[in-house]
Amino acid sequence: MGTFGLVIMFAPAIGPTASGVIVDLLGWRWLFLIVIPFALFSILFAWKFLQNVGEVTRPRIDVLSILLSSVSIGGIVYGFSSIGESDQGISGTIIAILVMSIISLVVFVLRQLKIEEPLLDVRVFRYKNYATGIVIFVIVIMAMFASEIVMPMYLQGPLGYSAKLAGLLLLPGALLNGLMSPVMGTLFDKYGPRKLIIPGTIVLVGVMIFFSNIEPGVPTWSFVLAYIALMLSISAIMMPAQTNALNELPKALYPHGTAIANTLQPVAGALGVSVFVNIMTRGQESYIQNQTGTATEDVLNSAMTQGVHYAYWFALVLCVIAFIASLFVQKAIAPDFDSEVEGD
């Protein structure tokens, strides 16, 4: 899992750095064009070398579950994104979309509990370590993805850095985030989850306090150190929390536990970006509306600073919740692979 985390965490962490260089040197269209050869290579590589090492069970696919999950997840992400894009605030249409999405999610969950072959068996949340680990995992994903959007925007705005330089300032944290994942896997085996996750969430809370008080005159070195601390804390939390969560599940639920975690990762990232950017935008607008006269560059910089403060105050609340949840994490003992699902 530590080696897996090297890939799954390093790839998005390096995104702001790579994107900044590409935008400055080649233009924004290349952000999409450069993906094409990698996508083609992945298809050919998988076709040639990817083998199925698991047992093929061929379960029946419940079409209604697919539709319900698509409507609920897509609607929630779209609804929160639309709130940030609308100049009118929360419109009736957005509220209707969010309500419909939540209802679809509730119906989806109820259906999974009733059908014989659920698309995602939500009974995994009966296992306390799994539920706690997933809560922490989701919060950390939201904080990471949102920071990778908000921080480059702030670096290029009030701090006045180019896209390339802003990306390079984030590079040390991104590199350490990926490189430390296998190390955290070794430490997890040696010391268990609590000695990694609890200190990690404490550091995460400290970083959120720093970012929620950041000002345009902040020294560059302090920002770089704070971002390194952010990425190191994420590497100490995310993969140990996910690994410990999965360790508690019996064999019958392991694929469902993995699938739910993999589903929540991009959803949490998308929600994190949407919510953080929305809060930041509202903070900016509130500051500008309270000013008189022309919106000078200094006013705009102060407005963005206030917006970033608002966003990270919200992040601070989430990270405090993650810290509290970490206190309830216990080292999970993997059950017998032949054991039955709890409640059956």
Side-chain angles (χ1 to χ4, degrees), residues 280 283-284 287-288 298-308:
M280 183 183 71
Q284 287 178 274
Y287 184 92
I288 292 173
D298 288 340
V299 170
L300 294 177
N301 288 340
S302 297
M304 188 170 190
T305 299
Q306 176 172 287
V308 169

Side-chain angles (χ1 to χ4, degrees), residues 51-86:
Q51 298 180 4
N52 186 10
V53 297
E55 179 184 355
V56 179
T57 58
R58 303 191 183 281
R60 185 178 67 85
I61 302 299
D62 185 54
V63 177
L64 181 57
S65 294
I66 295 176
L67 293 175
L68 288 170
S69 63
S70 300
V71 170
S72 59
I73 294 174
I76 290 172
V77 174
Y78 176 78
F80 279 103
S81 300
S82 298
I83 292 173
E85 295 171 358
S86 174

Side-chain angles (χ1 to χ4, degrees), residues 1-271:
M1 289 297 289
T3 305
F4 181 70
L6 171 63
V7 178
I8 202 170
M9 294 168 66
F10 179 74
I14 202 70
T17 301
S19 299
V21 173
I22 292 170
V23 168
D24 266 11
L25 297 181
L26 301 174
W28 67 267
R29 296 181 190 278
W30 281 92
L31 291 174
F32 302 95
L33 294 174
I34 207 168
V35 173
I36 296 174
F38 287 101
L40 293 175
F41 170 79
S42 298
I43 294 171
L44 296 174
F45 187 86
W47 184 270
K48 177 70 176 176
F49 296 105
L50 190 63
Q51 298 180 4
N52 186 10
V53 297
E55 179 184 355
V56 179
T57 58
R58 303 191 183 281
R60 185 178 67 85
I61 302 299
D62 185 54
V63 177
L64 181 57
S65 294
I66 295 176
L67 293 175
L68 288 170
S69 63
S70 300
V71 170
S72 59
I73 294 174
I76 290 172
V77 174
Y78 176 78
F80 279 103
S81 300
S82 298
I83 292 173
E85 295 171 358
S86 174
D87 296 330
Q88 315 271 309
I90 304 179
S91 66
T93 302
I94 295 175
I95 292 175
I97 291 174
L98 289 174
V99 169
M100 179 185 67
S101 303
I102 293 171
I103 292 174
S104 298
L105 181 61
V106 171
V107 174
F108 171 79
V109 170
L110 294 176
R111 183 167 179 80
Q112 303 318 294
L113 294 172
K114 292 180 179 179
I115 60 179
E116 293 183 4
E117 296 180 285
L119 185 67
L120 290 175
D121 196 334
V122 294
R123 288 178 294 175
V124 293
F125 288 105
R126 292 178 179 175
Y127 296 84
K128 293 180 181 179
N129 267 322
Y130 182 85
T132 304
I134 290 299
V135 168
I136 297 171
F137 176 76
V138 166
I139 290 174
V140 169
I141 287 290
M142 290 180 69
M144 183 176 77
F145 275 76
S147 294
E148 289 172 356
I149 297 296
V150 172
M151 282 297 103
M153 292 171 66
Y154 191 73
L155 287 170
Q156 294 174 65
L159 297 186
Y161 294 108
S162 66
K164 179 170 64 177
L165 186 54
L168 291 174
L169 290 176
L170 304 179
L171 183 59
L175 291 175
L176 285 173
N177 176 267
L179 294 175
M180 287 300 293
S181 188
V183 176
M184 294 302 175
T186 302
L187 294 176
F188 174 86
D189 289 339
K190 187 174 183 180
Y191 298 109
R194 290 175 60 84
K195 292 184 178 180
L196 292 174
I197 298 174
I198 293 176
T201 54
I202 292 173
V203 173
L204 193 61
V205 168
V207 173
M208 295 302 109
I209 293 174
F210 174 84
F211 284 150
S212 64
N213 291 279
I214 197 169
E215 297 290 342
V218 62
T220 303
W221 62 266
S222 65
F223 173 83
V224 174
L225 287 179
Y227 195 77
I228 289 174
L230 170 69
M231 288 301 175
L232 286 178
S233 65
I234 287 173
S235 66
I237 300 169
M238 194 167 85
M239 200 51 61
Q242 185 180 10
T243 304
N244 193 63
L246 294 174
N247 278 349
E248 195 176 26
L249 301 180
K251 183 180 179 181
L253 287 180
Y254 195 87
H256 293 279
T258 305
I260 288 174
N262 290 340
T263 300
L264 289 176
Q265 180 176 338
V267 173
L271 276 178

